[in-house]
Amino acid sequence: LEGRDILYGGLTGRDLLDMTARYRPGYDPAPLVRLFGLPLGQRVDTWTPERRRKLALCIVLMQRKPLLLLDDPFRGLGIEEALAVQELLRSRKSEGATILLTSREFAPLEALCDDIRRLEGGRLTAEYRRGEYARAAEAARQAEELEELLRRSGLTHFDNGKIN
């Protein structure tokens, strides 16, 4: 989900939400809009990338679709905002929606996911079921520590068995 990819910059935030509600009726985005502090009267092309991303998230979440695909929906959100998005996703899941999401953070996934799969370099490297989340969290913590160590050493990343 990248806000710049789905938003018409010449329209206001209100225009985009109204257009979505007209053609894809679903949930009222007002609670998220208030929480995110979005300036709906301003043209979207004047917004920061963070605000555009939050508006795009509102647009996606307000639609009643049986399948949601979300790319790192918690990035850039504060704690209260992330909890509100988690609650909305839990609600959609309880209604029968299938939710596929990516995240660089493990914590938001624990409360939402039935299964977690770890991808590295475009390949599946680990699979975890609900009862294995403690192991997944530990693996994520170790991966973050390794990444930080590589960064401090002046190495940029580990890819396909090579340190670059």
Side-chain angles (χ1 to χ4, degrees), residues 35-98:
L35 183 62
F36 291 163
L38 299 178
L40 295 182
Q42 296 176 7
R43 284 179 29 166
V44 173
D45 57 5
T46 66
W47 292 14
T48 63
E50 179 182 88
R51 279 189 168 158
R52 290 172 60 91
R53 184 170 169 73
K54 289 177 179 181
L55 178 62
L57 184 59
C58 286
I59 289 170
V60 169
L61 293 177
M62 70 185 276
Q63 299 176 51
R64 284 197 182 274
K65 301 258 184 176
L67 174 65
L68 295 174
L69 302 172
L70 302 168
D71 182 17
D72 208 2
F74 304 105
R75 183 177 61 186
L77 299 183
I79 293 171
E80 191 176 334
E81 294 168 332
L83 290 173
V85 169
Q86 279 181 329
E87 185 57 37
L88 183 53
L89 291 173
R90 266 195 296 277
S91 172
R92 293 298 319 272
K93 182 180 170 186
S94 72
E95 295 169 359
T98 298

Side-chain angles (χ1 to χ4, degrees), residues 93-163:
K93 182 180 170 186
S94 72
E95 295 169 359
T98 298
I99 302 168
L100 299 174
L101 62 89
T102 66
S103 181
R104 290 174 183 85
E105 303 283 329
F106 180 79
L109 302 179
E110 226 174 329
L112 293 172
C113 298
D114 295 323
D115 300 309
I116 295 176
R117 290 173 176 76
R118 184 175 176 86
L119 299 174
E120 292 180 38
R123 285 187 257 167
L124 181 64
T125 59
E127 294 185 58
Y128 305 98
R129 303 286 182 230
R130 183 164 293 282
E132 301 173 307
Y133 286 177
R135 184 170 63 95
E138 179 59 21
R141 188 191 62 73
Q142 289 175 358
E144 288 173 10
E145 286 178 3
L146 177 59
E147 199 172 295
E148 179 60 27
L149 178 63
L150 291 172
R151 202 176 1 267
R152 278 192 260 140
S153 300
L155 304 169
T156 55
H157 63 281
F158 189 76
D159 187 26
N160 294 328
K162 298 176 189 171
I163 298 177

Side-chain angles (χ1 to χ4, degrees), residues 14-35:
R14 168 96 34 238
D15 293 336
L16 290 166
L17 289 175
D18 289 347
M19 186 170 47
T20 302
R22 181 175 180 183
Y23 293 104
R24 301 268 190 220
Y27 296 96
D28 178 12
L32 277 182
V33 168
R34 277 192 302 278
L35 183 62

